[in-house]
Each structure stands twice: as C-alpha cells, then as structure tokens.
Amino acid sequence: MSPMHIHLSPISNELGAQLRAWRGTRGKSQLDLSLDTGISQRQISFIESGRSTPGRHNLLHLADALDVPFRERNTLLLAAGYAPIYTEGGIEDAEMKSVRDALKRMLVQHEPFPAVVMDRYWNVAMTNDATLRFFNSFIDMAAREKPRNLLHLIFDPAGLRPFIPNWEETAKSLMARVFRESVGRVIDARTKALMGTLLAYPDVDTAWTISTTADSTPVIPLSFVKNGQVLKFFSLVTTVGTAQTITTQELRIECMFPLDDVTEVEYAKLMKRGNERRE
C-alpha cells in the first residue's frame, strides 16, 4: 500500500494559525488543550500544522475550551470551511424582544441613578431617564452624535472630561477596564481602533494602555464636579448569562451607584433642580 500524501491547504493553514494564537492567548499547551477536550495532542498538532481539518463538533469543542467569544468562533468556522453559526443582529430586532424588555426593566428599576446598556465597544444602546438627565446637567447630550460612546464622552475635552476632577487617573483606569472587561479577554481589531481614537485626544499617554493602578479602595470611583461639589460614583457591570448570539454575549449593563452619603444627598439635589427646570 502506497503511503498517503497529505497536502497543506490555505484554509487549514489559516485555521492552524488561529488555533495556535488562541492557545497562546490562553496560555495553554497542546497537551493542556488535549486534556481539556479529550482530543488527542497528535490531532491538535495536525490541525495547527495544517495537516488535517477537524469536524465542526470538535472545532467548537476546542473553541469552548479556549473560551473563544462567539464573534471569533465564526472566524474559526470560516477558516475551517464551515458556515458561521452565531448570529448578530440589532438590539431592536424582533428576536431580541425578551432580552430588550428585561433590560428596560433593569434600567427602570435602577432609577433614580444612571444606568446604561453598552455593546462590546462601549457604544450606548439603551439608557434610563436618569442617565440623560444627569449627563445633561454637564453637557448637551442632544448635540452628541449617536451611537454615543461612553469612553469618548469621558475622553473628549468637549464632553464630560472638564467635569471629572481626577481625569487622568480616571482615564488610566478606563484604559485598564477596556482590556480587563473585553469579551473573552480579547482585544480585537475594532477594540484596537477604539483605543487608537482615544489616544488621539489631547494629553493622553500611550503608556496608559499598559499601566496598572493599585489602590487600597475596593472600587475605583468615577467622580464629577458640579457647582463646586464632588460627586463620587462606582459601577456594577452585568452581562447576559447563557448568551446564544453575538449580540447578547457582547451586551453589558453598567449601573452607577453613589460611593458615599454626601454624593447621594447632593445627587438628589442636582436631579431635583433638573426636574424643576424641565417643568
């Protein structure tokens, strides 16, 4: 019997490169991945070298073990010659109604404090009424082009930046959050592009992207100054559990809470004055 010749293909070579990159990102060896999945180390080696292409089930099993986000799993599937299986739509799509209704309830329940729903790239998809009223006490939110991006609102000198007393520390912590809270701890091309636009603002240092901030406090506050009074908040971030689509996996709900009693009292006064002006 003549020996079998195995030919490398561009598809399997691309898949192998992606799989190696994901192993490197997760800090796993081929043996680690084999133990996690039950797929032999030899087979994983063949996939990475382009000598074989896994079945779709095994490929998804590998992606699951490597905690690959849904958007990037579609890329792996395409590289292996399979159709993508994870869908991406808008939050206003009909199939998102149950999720959208749940998000609306969460936003309403968080009144009178600000709460926003954002996508993977910090674009604001939904807010409660308190968010707009609070931010409008600093800037004209109607003048900001949609989709409004929370990071741009804070980094832009024409946005909220002049009202943040410890802006440099806040900007550094937000840069760290972009990396820490990215879906699957992945910095993709669009996230890199977002970071690039933030670095283009005045007085933003590229070193902030690699800086680490150590603090004895349990949370990093986001502070604002209004009428000489410093208002300090912290955030709780919620994600959608058991997500089945790209859209739901990448949603984040950020709820702001007063960090101290003074902030809670002064915030209530600020919102009351805003209500009186609207009336």
Side-chain angles (χ1 to χ4, degrees), residues 8-277:
L8 303 183
S9 69
I11 288 179
S12 56
N13 278 336
E14 174 61 26
L15 174 63
Q18 290 187 33
L19 192 60
R20 283 195 304 275
W22 278 109
R23 277 201 307 102
T25 298
R26 301 305 185 219
K28 291 189 175 185
S29 66
Q30 290 182 348
L31 178 58
D32 293 330
L33 189 55
S34 175
L35 293 173
D36 289 343
T37 60
I39 298 171
S40 72
Q41 184 178 352
R42 182 171 182 266
Q43 185 176 353
I44 293 172
S45 176
F46 276 18
I47 295 168
E48 292 190 359
S49 65
R51 297 177 67 187
S52 70
T53 301
R56 191 175 74 167
H57 174 78
N58 275 355
L59 179 56
L60 291 173
H61 195 25
L62 291 167
D64 192 50
L66 292 169
D67 191 25
V68 179
F70 292 161
R71 184 182 298 276
E72 284 72 21
R73 291 189 194 196
N74 278 347
T75 304
L76 285 174
L77 287 164
L78 286 168
Y82 301 116
I85 64 173
Y86 297 100
T87 59
E88 179 182 14
I91 197 170
E92 295 298 328
D93 291 354
E95 58 268 25
M96 288 287 291
K97 184 180 184 305
S98 59
V99 174
R100 190 168 60 249
D101 289 346
L103 293 173
K104 287 178 180 177
R105 284 193 289 270
M106 291 179 67
L107 294 176
V108 170
Q109 288 296 318
H110 195 62
E111 296 280 357
F113 303 114
V116 299
V117 178
M118 297 182 291
D119 66 14
R120 178 176 183 167
Y121 307 105
W122 296 67
N123 295 311
V124 177
M126 300 169 63
T127 71
N128 62 1
D129 184 54
T131 302
L132 292 177
R133 288 191 289 124
F134 179 61
F135 287 170
N136 270 324
S137 68
F138 301 97
I139 62 174
D140 180 10
M141 290 294 289
R144 308 291 299 193
E145 184 179 351
K146 293 183 178 180
R148 300 179 182 114
N149 185 282
L150 191 59
L151 291 175
H152 282 292
L153 277 173
I154 292 174
F155 275 71
D156 189 352
L160 295 171
R161 176 170 166 175
F163 305 96
I164 300 175
N166 56 338
W167 180 79
E168 184 172 318
E169 290 76 12
T170 298
K172 289 179 182 179
S173 70
L174 286 173
M175 287 280 196
R177 278 190 58 187
V178 171
F179 287 90
R180 186 173 66 250
E181 296 177 7
S182 56
V183 177
R185 306 181 302 285
V186 175
I187 304 301
D188 65 352
R190 284 183 62 185
T191 302
K192 290 178 181 177
L194 172 61
M195 297 295 283
T197 60
L198 298 179
L199 290 170
Y201 282 117
D203 302 317
V204 179
D205 193 333
T206 55
W208 296 356
T209 61
I210 57 174
S211 65
T212 57
T213 303
D215 200 307
S216 59
T217 59
V219 294
I220 299 175
L222 176 60
S223 301
F224 301 90
V225 173
K226 183 68 176 180
N227 300 324
Q229 179 65 53
V230 178
L231 306 175
K232 297 181 179 181
F233 298 86
F234 71 96
S235 296
L236 291 181
V237 178
T238 307
T239 57
V240 179
T242 61
Q244 294 296 311
T245 68
I246 294 172
T247 307
T248 50
Q249 186 184 58
E250 295 184 352
L251 287 176
R252 299 207 324 277
I253 306 95
E254 180 145 352
C255 298
M256 293 173 57
F257 293 86
L259 187 61
D260 51 43
D261 293 339
V262 172
T263 295
E264 186 161 359
V265 171
E266 294 301 321
Y267 174 82
K269 293 178 182 178
L270 178 65
M271 299 299 274
K272 183 179 180 181
R273 288 194 293 269
N275 287 337
E276 290 171 349
R277 284 195 296 271

